[in-house]
Amino acid sequence: EDEDDDDDDEDEDEGIMGVRVMTIARGTTTARGMRAKCVKNSTSPQCKGSAAPRRGAVGGRRAGTRSGATSGEGGAKLWGGRFSEAQDPLMEKFNESLSFDRRMWREDADGSVGYARALARAGVITDEERDAIVQGLGLVSAEWASGTFVAKAGDEDIHTANERRLTELIGEVAGKLHTGRSRNDQVATDTRMWLRAQLLEIRKHLRTLIEIAVDRAEREVDVVMPGFTHLQSAQTVRWSHWLLSHAAAWQRDDQRLGDLLERVNVMPLGSGALAGNPFGIDRQLLAKDLGFAGVCPNSMDAVSDRDYIAETSFWASMVSTHLSRWSEDLIIYCSQQFGMVKMSDAYSTGSSLMPQKKNPDALELLRGKSGTQIGSLMAVLATIKGTPTTYNKDLQEVWHSMYYTVDNMSDSLQIAAGCLATARIYPDAMERGLCAEMLATDLAEYLVRKGVPFRETHHISGAAVKLAEDREVPLSSLTVDDLKPLCDKFDADVVEVWSYEKSAESRDTEGGTSRRSVLEQCAKLRAYLSAH
């Protein structure tokens, strides 16, 4: 029961703002004074539930009893011993994180199991106590898994909730679990374990997207299409080459993710609040038990390091940027003006007014969500930059970005894979998008093979394009007689230049758009996926 219930009733007459201001004032300026009065006069109305210090008690309380701050609804706080008043209900809401960090229930329980075993190895708890804690945590996990776990007042985060329930199940021995451990190193450990598992799942989605691109590239390798620079027709490329251009970016994303996972997979547990653990636990063995590759090397850094969240947000921002560019291409290709691709109904929507509309909304949302993801990265960096060493409550805010990033990337990559797997291409429309002017570079290269320097052939080919424009005819309609005045190296074999397939096949170097080169790129991507 709140020690100041009578005073709170009086404060309510001052209005909502008055209640809050008076409550805060008491908590910050008069708490010590109230405790002093209670020691002298235990019968004072303000001292209800208080008493003078007794022999054998610590800080005026019987050894082994619980006192201190509670939630507005009466739930005890893990940190309440130093406080004398209930928390403002709005502060409860402002401070709590169980509403979102409950997603880490499994990792919190598993981390506690590992820590209990470490405490037993160090002789801090007995084997029997360890077994009771481990068994109890198993019961807590089972409740979460079955959806029967009931949160109560005072469960401000997943750590508090699990420990409270463990205490209900196995009694006071549960209080030994937190020996030498702080929520500072606990939450850092939980989030790393949770994020590690999530990123491994997301990596599967990313690799599925790459595999779909490779499959289509091999299957549709003979389809040629216009390639663009500045969104202007540029050169002939293969549809497969375009697919692999995005798969190459996704491969870099996969490489970055593999690199990122190494830094996520280090263990902060055993760092305590900031200074380390005083009970001699074996951190290396604990890390092995929890699946970590190693331990964070400095306890002060370990509890405040959120680089792994910032890096994950950056990684996701880069993937989202790549997906956005890919989506933009397909949105253009899907338009009636291009008509080269049509999205499946499963990833499209219509208009509430215009019956004929089929909108590529999945692609547009992928493009749009990239902006939100980039904004999430900025939020993480802005939160971290102003925090002094070591842990500060500001850091709780970065979990929102972590959860959003994981959800967004999981959904986005699966949606992208679905879009790519089901999209229909129209080779005839792609071929109609080709124009003879796209072979102007091939015309210049024809003369290079005749011994003319490229810088000169570039000007000659440009003059040919201008001549065709002036006559309002395609470049390919110019005859040898038309071209001879521009350069005497033109001959009858110039007609072989006007082949889109030949143009694509001429780009046969590694990474080029020839059929052989495209299939080679496919093989390399498959080898990469198999090896990593």
Side-chain angles (χ1 to χ4, degrees), residues 108-122:
D108 188 74
D110 289 349
S112 291
V113 167
Y115 191 68
R117 290 171 174 158
L119 289 174
R121 285 194 294 265

Side-chain angles (χ1 to χ4, degrees), residues 437 462-475 478:
E437 285 66 35
V465 171
K466 181 66 167 60
L467 177 62
E469 286 180 351
D470 290 344
R471 294 185 181 182
E472 298 182 350
V473 296
L475 181 62
L478 296 181

